[in-house]
Amino acid sequence: MSNNESSTIPEPDFAPSALGTKGYWDKIYNRDNVNYKDHGDIGEIWFGEASAVKMVDWVEEHYEDEKETCAVLDLGCGNGHLLLDLAELGFEDLTGIDYSPAAIRLAQTVAADKELDHIIRYAAVDFLAEKETMDWCTAEQKNKDGSEPTPKKFKVMLDKGTYDAISLHQKNKRDAAVAAAAAEEAGEETKDEDKIVLAENDDNMEDLAERYPRRVAAMMEDNGRLLITSCNWTQPELIQRFAHVFEYDSHLKYPTFTFGGVKGQTISSVVFKKKQV
């Protein structure tokens, strides 16, 4: 990507947060595992049930005739609710990954209780870590002819809130200090090891949100689609930030509001297709 291209990528207008750390999500999902065991509550549905329904409906509308073969990957699956809905609609190649092992335990437990664990596969994977992800994708690919497998590719990739959380990652110690101070003010505890999360434990402090499009594209079929839902980024911002790897395909419509003469909406759901080299 040229310097001219990179200069057009919009910078976030929000501060780093504890929501960008693995420790935060491990704590949340450890709590949700207990709540599910005690009360049967699977936990929060990010952005509300309506956005989840819209995403599931989009997948069904566009891949109705491919339910047996369409490989779907939920990026940052959390409690797995999107895949549960798709399984109940008859989709058969469903996978969810999350870097929080506690989230995966919850998703697996819920799927088993709903007798859908033979359809949905879950794995603790940090998909921003290239080697870990490619090793996992290769292990997922099973060639019937017994030949050496190549990394599995997915036709549909779903993201509801994961890119938002990644965008809240702290890139340096100053950002980490800001996040820790905000957490302390909110009455939350933080640990030093939770403050900075870098894929593969590297030291280059790369913005993980900039790594995201490349890592997603590497797991996608050439004719695949990424459906991403965000509350931190507008549709034009997502299109700009992903432009070096993805092209805009379409978007989902939500109720709009007008403020100061400008029309907008509280969340954005954009469908991307991979740029062909």
Side-chain angles (χ1 to χ4, degrees):
M1 181 168 57
S2 69
N3 290 334
N4 288 337
E5 286 179 298
S6 62
S7 65
T8 65
I9 298 178
E11 291 296 321
D13 60 0
F14 43 83
S17 163
L19 275 72
T21 67
K22 180 176 178 294
Y24 174 89
W25 294 109
D26 284 340
K27 180 178 178 180
I28 291 295
Y29 286 113
N30 279 325
R31 180 200 66 191
D32 287 352
N33 272 284
V34 173
N35 286 341
Y36 180 73
K37 180 180 179 181
D38 292 344
H39 309 292
D41 180 3
I42 71 170
E44 184 177 358
I45 306 298
W46 269 58
F47 310 149
E49 187 65 35
S51 63
V53 170
K54 278 184 174 290
M55 294 181 75
V56 170
D57 286 349
W58 179 88
V59 176
E60 184 179 31
E61 177 184 351
H62 289 81
Y63 298 95
E64 169 73 26
D65 298 331
E66 304 176 49
K67 289 183 176 180
E68 294 182 1
T69 59
C70 179
V72 179
L73 178 64
D74 188 359
L75 301 161
C77 61
N79 56 28
H81 65 95
L82 286 176
L83 297 180
L84 294 172
D85 290 348
L86 289 171
E88 290 175 351
L89 288 173
F91 285 86
E92 298 183 11
D93 191 345
L94 302 172
T95 307
I97 58 175
D98 201 294
Y99 74 169
S100 171
I104 295 302
R105 288 197 302 273
L106 176 61
Q108 289 173 331
T109 301
V110 174
D113 287 349
K114 292 181 177 293
E115 299 184 347
L116 294 171
D117 52 327
H118 64 293
I119 297 174
I120 310 173
R121 298 179 302 282
Y122 292 108
V125 177
D126 178 0
F127 68 87
L128 297 181
E130 182 174 3
K131 184 177 186 304
E132 174 186 344
T133 304
M134 288 300 99
D135 288 347
W136 172 77
C137 287
T138 300
E140 284 293 294
Q141 185 66 49
K142 299 177 177 62
N143 293 343
K144 294 181 180 180
D145 61 5
S147 61
E148 188 70 21
T150 56
K152 180 171 182 173
K153 304 283 186 176
F154 295 87
K155 193 160 198 175
V156 175
M157 307 182 80
L158 304 174
D159 177 335
K160 187 159 71 67
T162 298
Y163 183 69
D164 282 3
I166 291 170
S167 299
L168 295 170
H169 160 76
Q170 299 90 42
K171 291 186 291 183
N172 52 49
K173 293 185 182 300
R174 180 181 59 80
D175 286 347
V178 171
E184 183 177 356
E185 185 175 340
E188 301 173 354
E189 294 184 3
T190 60
K191 298 179 180 178
D192 289 341
E193 61 266 30
D194 291 343
K195 293 178 182 176
I196 298 178
V197 177
L198 293 170
E200 297 179 324
N201 298 315
D202 55 10
D203 299 318
N204 62 13
M205 294 298 183
E206 178 188 14
D207 185 340
L208 297 189
E210 293 179 8
R211 185 182 298 184
Y212 174 103
R214 299 195 307 274
R215 298 304 329 128
V216 172
M219 294 185 285
M220 182 186 288
E221 293 182 7
D222 288 342
N223 65 339
R225 294 293 185 272
L226 164 67
L227 171 54
I228 177 171
T229 294
S230 169
C231 70
N232 285 348
W233 300 99
T234 65
Q235 178 179 316
E237 287 173 335
L238 287 170
I239 292 172
Q240 281 185 282
R241 289 184 69 85
F242 289 9
H244 57 297
V245 178
F246 290 105
E247 296 177 355
Y248 167 82
D249 182 73
S250 60
H251 67 275
L252 308 187
K253 294 182 179 180
Y254 294 93
T256 60
F257 63 89
T258 301
F259 181 78
V262 178
K263 184 175 289 188
Q265 56 191 40
T266 55
I267 61 175
S268 301
S269 292
V270 186
V271 181
F272 289 97
K273 58 184 177 182
K274 188 160 65 171
K275 280 188 172 179
Q276 301 304 312
V277 180

